[in-house]
Amino acid sequence: MLNININYPYPVIREYTDDYQSTEFIGELKVLLEPDGYAVHTNFEINNKGIQILLSKRILTYALEVQCVSTWFRKLYPIHENSVIRLDPQMIHERVELIPCIVAATSIEGFTNEDFAEEYQDMKFDLNAGDIIGIGQKRTFDALYQNDIIKNGSSIVDVGGNDKLKEIQCDFSQSTIKLTLPADQYENYRSCGYNRSKYKMLNAILIVPALVEAIGIIAADEKDPEHQSGHQNRAWYKTIVVNLKRFAENDERKYLQLLEKPFASAELLLGNNSADALKFLCQVE
């Protein structure tokens, strides 16, 4: 299993390391959900000529390590010409880790590189097939069963009415977010809901605040893993997380940045107030 924090007996290219002077390994990943599973699209680059030559000769190879703690699945996939890796949804569930890397495809005697840090200059290392040469930035995504996530055409926010209520209530304890309005407001909501010209108003008044609060719950969970909300297994929670991570292209830092901007992220989830997005996020009963 790859570990970016351990010390190797030879120089390793990493995001934060002093083993090389100026070498950068970029391992871009994009995960797409397809009918038969997950497709991981790769785009790997490195700016080190010596490493590039060894890659072209297949002495080294780009690779992707896939790990899933929930199912104990772990596999290293060689990557040639930025190939697409397809993952069987029956083999993975919940959080999946993707780690781009460069590994030795064969044994190498006297491995050296002009960009080694000063302390390694002119040193040579004997490597075995499978030894790690470089480790890229880790990405994660959530692999979900069919009934884990609310699909397009279904509602992530259910709006209803109650004669006894005097103010709006928002309940996050069920699979969908339950927004309950006082009876008179609900009737007004119903009458507006069938008029497309009023979708933007409905979003601003009702749906955006509910999504902002939901994103706030998720953000709090990410910031403090020891004090969780208990909503992680709700379908609305997983749906928001999956969609925000897709918008962030499964870049963990970009995903966390989206959580820090709940209003903008709520608008993003609504698809700029499009009719299809409103249908997905909030159905008028």
Side-chain angles (χ1 to χ4, degrees):
M1 182 173 65
L2 295 179
N3 188 334
I4 62 173
N5 297 315
I6 69 172
N7 292 320
Y8 290 85
Y10 53 85
V12 173
I13 302 160
R14 284 177 276 196
E15 189 173 9
Y16 306 105
T17 182
D18 296 325
D19 291 356
Y20 285 73
Q21 298 178 57
S22 59
T23 297
E24 292 184 6
F25 170 36
I26 299 174
E28 294 183 355
L29 302 170
K30 186 174 183 179
V31 181
L32 298 178
L33 177 60
E34 298 184 347
D36 59 345
Y38 293 89
V40 183
H41 294 256
T42 61
N43 184 19
F44 293 176
E45 297 179 5
I46 192 164
N47 64 350
N48 184 304
K49 290 185 179 180
I51 300 295
Q52 289 173 352
I53 291 171
L54 294 177
L55 286 167
S56 66
K57 293 180 178 180
R58 300 288 178 94
I59 295 173
L60 300 179
T61 181
Y62 288 126
L64 180 68
E65 183 173 87
V66 180
Q67 301 178 35
C68 180
V69 176
S70 299
T71 61
W72 293 6
F73 178 82
R74 180 164 62 91
K75 186 173 180 179
L76 186 71
Y77 294 87
I79 303 293
H80 301 297
E81 298 180 354
N82 290 323
S83 53
V84 178
I85 302 301
R86 302 192 181 279
L87 302 177
D88 186 342
Q90 296 183 1
M91 301 300 295
I92 53 177
H93 184 226
E94 297 181 343
R95 178 155 294 193
V96 180
E97 294 185 350
L98 306 174
I99 307 177
C101 56
I102 302 172
V103 301
T106 63
S107 297
I108 306 174
E109 292 185 4
F111 173 75
T112 188
N113 192 274
E114 292 182 355
D115 196 48
F116 277 167
E118 184 177 352
E119 62 199 89
Y120 295 114
Q121 283 291 322
D122 300 324
M123 294 182 65
K124 296 182 179 181
F125 301 88
D126 292 336
L127 304 178
N128 298 314
D131 280 349
I132 303 299
I133 304 299
I135 304 175
Q137 182 185 3
K138 180 173 69 176
R139 305 287 198 279
T140 64
F141 75 96
D142 290 321
L144 306 175
Y145 291 138
Q146 286 292 100
N147 60 350
D148 276 344
I149 186 169
I150 299 173
K151 304 297 183 182
N152 288 339
S154 299
S155 171
I156 192 174
V157 180
D158 291 333
V159 181
N162 189 314
D163 293 336
K164 298 180 180 180
L165 285 183
K166 294 184 178 180
E167 58 184 22
I168 298 175
Q169 287 187 353
C170 195
D171 180 13
F172 296 95
S173 66
Q174 301 181 52
S175 61
T176 59
I177 299 170
K178 302 291 184 181
L179 199 61
T180 308
L181 312 179
D184 57 339
Q185 294 183 29
Y186 181 62
E187 289 305 316
N188 291 334
Y189 167 81
R190 284 171 59 90
S191 64
C192 289
Y194 297 103
N195 187 337
R196 291 197 173 192
S197 66
K198 296 183 179 180
Y199 279 173
K200 186 174 182 179
M201 178 185 68
L202 287 176
N203 284 351
I205 295 174
L206 297 174
I207 309 308
V208 169
L211 290 177
V212 166
E213 188 172 351
I215 293 169
I217 291 171
I218 297 169
D221 285 347
E222 292 285 357
K223 289 180 179 178
D224 190 358
E226 294 184 359
H227 298 86
Q228 298 287 286
S229 64
H231 295 307
Q232 292 86 342
N233 292 323
R234 315 286 185 205
W236 65 262
Y237 191 109
K238 293 182 177 181
T239 301
I240 292 174
V241 168
V242 165
N243 280 282
L244 288 183
K245 285 191 174 183
R246 285 175 181 168
F247 286 125
E249 298 180 338
N250 294 296
D251 185 318
E252 192 71 11
R253 287 179 294 185
K254 291 181 181 179
Y255 164 66
L256 294 176
Q257 288 173 355
L258 286 176
L259 292 180
E260 293 175 355
K261 301 175 181 178
F263 283 98
S265 294
E267 290 290 339
L268 192 62
L269 288 169
L270 283 168
N272 295 322
N273 301 317
S274 70
D276 290 340
L278 182 62
K279 180 180 179 183
F280 170 54
L281 289 162
C282 178
Q283 287 182 317
V284 178
E285 296 179 355

